[in-house]
Amino acid sequence: SSNIDPMIALIPQEADRAAQSLLNKLIRSNLVNNTNQVEVLQRDPNSPLYSVKTFEELRLKPQLLQGVYGMGFNRPSKIQENALPMMLAEPPQNLIAQSQSGTGKTAAFVLAMLSHVNPTNKWTQCLCISPTYELALQTGKVVEQMGRFYPEVKLAYAVRGNKMERGSKIQEQIVIGTPGTVLDWFLKLKLMDPKKIRVFVLDEADVMIATQGHQDQSIRIQRMLPKDCQMLLFSATFEDSVWKFAERIVPDPNVIKLKREEETLDTIKQYYVLCNNKEDKFSALCNIYGAITIAQAMIFCHTRKIASWLAGQMSKEGHQVALLSGEMVIEQRAAVIERFREGKEKVLITTNVCARGIDVEQVSVVINFDLPLDKDGNPDNETYLHRIGRTGRFGKRGLAINMVDSDHSMDVLKAIEKHFNKKILKLDTDDLDEIEKIAN
Ligand SMILES: Nc1ncnc2c1ncn2[C@@H]1O[C@H](COP(=O)(O)OP(=O)(O)OP(=O)(O)O)[C@@H](O)[C@H]1O
C-alpha cells in the first residue's frame, strides 16, 4: 500500500542498490567512456533512423540549448545521439533505453521533459518516478540546472515529507517523485490529474523492481495515464525481469541498448608491498606519499575498525582524509562522496562493503590496504577488478598498490595475479628512488 515508508520497504540488499546508484551519480563528474556500439530497435522499421551529432540539430528551444551548453555539454553522448531524436519526435515515441550508469540517460530524459512542457499551462504535464527520495532529488537537480534559463517551468517533488493539502492543485509542470507518494497525490489527495500527463518517465527500472511494492505501484500509475502519453523507461542493466517489467510499462517501444564496457587492468600499473602488520603498512603508505604526488587516492580496508584507525593515523600526519563507513546513513555517505569529488579531501578511506559498485574512474591511485576477500575469505577477483580496473581503451592510466602482510594475503595476491594473468610487481617502499619511478 502507498503508506508504507519507502525506506522501510527496502530490504537491505535492494537498499544497497539504490544507494550505489546514488553514490555513483555523486562521485561522477563526467560522462562514462563507452566504446561499444549502440543497438537500436525501432518500432517502425520503415521509418528512417535518426541520430544527431549536435544539439543544434534537435531544434531545441533557445533557453534549453543555452541550458545544455551551460552544463558544459558540447555534443550528445552516444546514447543521446539516438534517444533524443526519438524522444523529441512528433508524434512522441515511446522508448526503453538501457545503458550503464553515467552514459547520459538522465540528461536525455530531462531534456525531453523540458522540451514537451507548455509553460503557460499551470498543471502537471511531465511525471518522472524514481526508486528513492534521494534519487528523485538528484534528478530534480538536473531539471533545475538544465532549465536554468527557462524559469517559467516549475518543478515539484512528490516524495515523503513533502506534505500537501488534499484538494489543492499542483501547478508545477514537472513532478518527480517516488511511486507511493505519486499514487497518493493522484488518488488520495487528488493533487494532479493523471489524464493531463503528456510525458511519463520511469527511471532506474532495475532498482525500482528490486524494491518491494514499487513494481505494482508503477504499473498502477502507468494505467491511469492517457493512451497517447509518451512513456519512457530507463535502466542501467537489463535482466529478464527488467525487460518484462519494461514491456508492461512501455507499449510499442523503441529500444536502445548500449552494452556495458568491460573493465580491464591493461592500463593499470600494479604493485605490491611486503609488510608485517598494519603499522608497517601505514609507514609504507607514508613513504609512498612522501615520494610521489598523489592527487586523489582511494584506500580500501577490510573492516570498519581498520578503516577508522587508518583515517586517524593519516589525519595525524596532516592528510585530508575522508572516511566512508558502514554505519553512516545515506545522506552522510553522499556528503562524504561529494566532498571527495570536489577535491576537498585527497584521500578516501573505505571498506569493501561500503564502496561496492562505486565507480572511481577519476581516482588515479588505488591502494588495497587489505586485499579483497569474498564472504568465505577467498580472493575476490571481481571486486579487485572493479576497484582498480578502468573501462575503455582510452581509459586513463592508473596505479594500484597492494599491501601484503601475511602468507595468506600473499596467497591471495598470487591468486589474483594468476586469475588476470597480469604481473603484479614488488615495490620496496624503503627505496625512495624506486617509488619515484613508478609514478612516471
Ligand atoms: N552530452 C553530454 N556531454 C557531456 N556530459 C554529459 C552529457 N550528458 C550527460 N553528461 C554528464 O555525464 C554525467 C552522467 O550523465 P547522466 O547522469 O545523465 O547519466 P545516466 O546514464 O543517467 O547515469 P546515472 O543514472 O547513473 O545518473 C553527468 O555528470 C552529466 O552531467
Side-chain angles (χ1 to χ4, degrees), residues 25 28 30-31 73 75 77 80 101-107:
K25 275 180 205 272
R28 184 179 316 115
N30 277 312
L31 272 172
F73 301 178
R75 64 190 68 78
S77 72
Q80 289 163 1
S101 141
T103 46
K105 299 185 295 296
T106 307

